[in-house]
Amino acid sequence: MGIFPRLGLTVIVGALAAGSDIAQAQDGVTIYGVVDAGIRYGQGLDSANNGSAASSTTLNSGINTTSRLGFRGSEDIGGGLKAIFNLESGINVDTGAMANSTKQFDRASWVGLQGEWGALTLGRQTTLLADVVSAVDPLGSRYAGFNPNIGTAALSAHRLSGEYGPAGATTGAYRLDNALKYVGRYGDFSLRAMHALGEQSASESKLSSSGVGAGFQSGGYNAAAAYTEFKNVNGLTLKGYVGGVGAMFGKAKLSITYGSHEAQITATASTRNKTLGIGGTTPLTGNLDLVAAYYRVERNRSGSPEDGFDRLIAFLEYKISRRTLAYIELDHTRWKNGYQGAGFKANGSGASAGIKHVF
């Protein structure tokens, strides 16, 4: 990132921090964030958790929860309406660098209106598939860079080698630029709709995206589902859906999810991924929780044998205080039919230990 983007963020942070007391009293502006870092050892995994023939030891950011800095707020503008906004940047705590060198606010950059009818927001924001995963993922969206529900089902790392929808990246489509999103709540139910403009000359559809979703929450039960269609710059489609349910059993929560998407890679070739997830959270003591999940990913590509992987991820989390916790993470991955790459081990295991602070 160049000096001007860094200077811009510094000025914004300084200005909001200097006026935070007044802003919070009048307009409800909040500065928030997560700072998460830990030591990780991987066997059969490289520093980015891809398949490897060797081992690695690294200090990583965002193992438990992605590190970030954000600003959000609202203003009552009368008539039952509020103006709302959110700006959020990913941060690599291990290096101090921004997570995305090309986008100042890579995680969120939107403004909108909210009323009894719901909320309408405009800007860069998460897709409806990502919203479903946030609601029902067995890990509660932990370990975003290694979580198959986030990477595969919600397309954060889709491995399709092309930009689908206005994601601003060829590696994933978890968030989209130029997007309009509606969220309405009706008692225990919610409805969502989203459209992202491709902004391609002489074409209204290329690189665009549209989707719908619904949710339910009552007592200790919740459910969510969404469908979204993305197009690339050539008009080829990526169609995906994700659904899941969650239920409380005493103080423990169990969640089950299923996602599937199919992408046109060329006019005659396609790739389909299916993702199953099951797991949840159970308290072991007043301050100690166990969070564990099993995921299965199956991939079918034109002209290639089916491959994929099975993955187990578990966290032990100890609450040091209301905002700070220490964690230990263990995982094991078994790849099928060479999904990890030629010459790499068929199994990979990892262990992490870190600390997370929320402000």
Side-chain angles (χ1 to χ4, degrees):
M1 177 179 291
I3 185 172
F4 292 109
R6 289 199 301 268
L7 180 59
L9 181 58
T10 302
V11 171
I12 292 171
V13 172
L16 287 176
S20 61
D21 291 339
I22 296 175
Q24 288 174 0
Q26 294 181 350
D27 296 328
V29 176
T30 300
I31 301 174
Y32 67 93
V34 176
V35 185
D36 180 317
I39 297 290
R40 175 165 174 80
Y41 172 78
Q43 179 66 43
L45 297 167
D46 64 15
S47 59
N49 290 323
N50 297 311
S52 174
S55 62
S56 61
T57 301
T58 56
L59 196 160
N60 287 355
S61 175
I63 296 174
N64 185 287
T65 303
T66 303
S67 299
R68 66 196 70 172
L69 173 66
F71 315 97
R72 58 175 171 241
S74 65
E75 180 188 16
D76 189 338
I77 58 177
L81 290 177
K82 289 184 178 180
I84 55 177
F85 80 91
N86 189 196
L87 300 170
E88 186 175 293
S89 300
I91 298 173
N92 293 330
V93 176
D94 51 332
T95 64
M98 306 303 294
N100 190 319
S101 62
T102 64
K103 291 183 181 292
Q104 187 78 65
F105 296 103
D106 62 311
R107 295 181 56 83
S109 176
W110 55 257
V111 64
L113 293 174
Q114 184 178 54
E116 293 184 359
W117 44 267
L120 177 65
T121 52
L122 299 84
R124 179 172 173 82
Q125 42 200 323
T126 53
T127 68
L128 303 188
L129 303 183
D131 292 346
V132 169
V133 167
S134 295
V136 295
D137 177 51
L139 284 182
S141 296
R142 289 169 176 81
Y143 213 165
F146 200 51
N147 183 325
N149 260 352
I150 295 175
T152 304
L155 304 172
S156 178
H158 53 50
R159 298 168 67 100
L160 298 173
S161 301
E163 182 179 12
Y164 289 86
T170 59
T171 55
Y174 192 84
R175 297 176 176 85
L176 298 180
D177 299 340
N178 316 320
L180 297 84
K181 181 191 286 189
Y182 168 76
V183 179
R185 304 191 184 280
Y186 309 91
D188 295 334
F189 296 88
S190 63
L191 296 175
R192 295 172 181 263
M194 184 171 175
H195 179 72
L197 284 71
E199 297 188 351
Q200 300 299 296
S201 61
S203 174
E204 293 292 332
S205 64
K206 291 182 179 180
L207 215 62
S208 67
S209 174
S210 297
V212 293
F216 170 82
Q217 184 165 359
S218 179
Y221 300 91
N222 73 308
Y227 170 84
T228 298
E229 180 176 311
F230 310 78
K231 293 187 178 181
N232 71 6
V233 72
N234 297 314
L236 300 178
T237 62
L238 164 59
K239 300 177 180 180
Y241 63 86
V242 177
V245 296
M248 296 296 298
F249 296 92
K251 295 182 178 180
K253 182 175 183 179
L254 175 68
S255 295
I256 301 174
T257 62
Y258 179 78
S260 177
H261 65 258
E262 184 168 5
Q264 292 179 313
I265 305 303
T266 68
T268 58
S270 64
T271 295
R272 183 176 183 182
N273 285 282
K274 295 181 288 185
T275 308
L276 171 70
I278 182 169
T281 301
T282 183
L284 301 180
T285 68
N287 292 328
L288 184 65
D289 290 340
L290 171 64
V291 187
Y294 163 79
Y295 298 96
R296 167 167 286 185
V297 175
E298 298 177 350
R299 183 175 66 172
N300 289 275
R301 295 175 292 168
S302 298
S304 299
E306 178 182 309
D307 58 12
F309 61 91
D310 297 308
R311 179 167 291 159
L312 286 166
I313 305 175
F315 281 89
L316 275 175
E317 299 179 344
Y318 181 77
K319 302 180 185 69
I320 300 173
S321 68
R322 184 170 62 90
R323 296 184 177 182
T324 305
L325 64 80
Y327 59 84
I328 295 174
E329 179 272 340
L330 300 172
D331 59 80
H332 180 75
T333 302
R334 181 176 66 87
W335 286 285
K336 296 178 290 185
N337 291 336
Y339 186 96
Q340 75 279 20
F344 297 150
K345 295 181 179 180
N347 295 278
S349 299
S352 313
I355 187 167
K356 180 182 79 172
H357 179 74
V358 178
F359 62 93

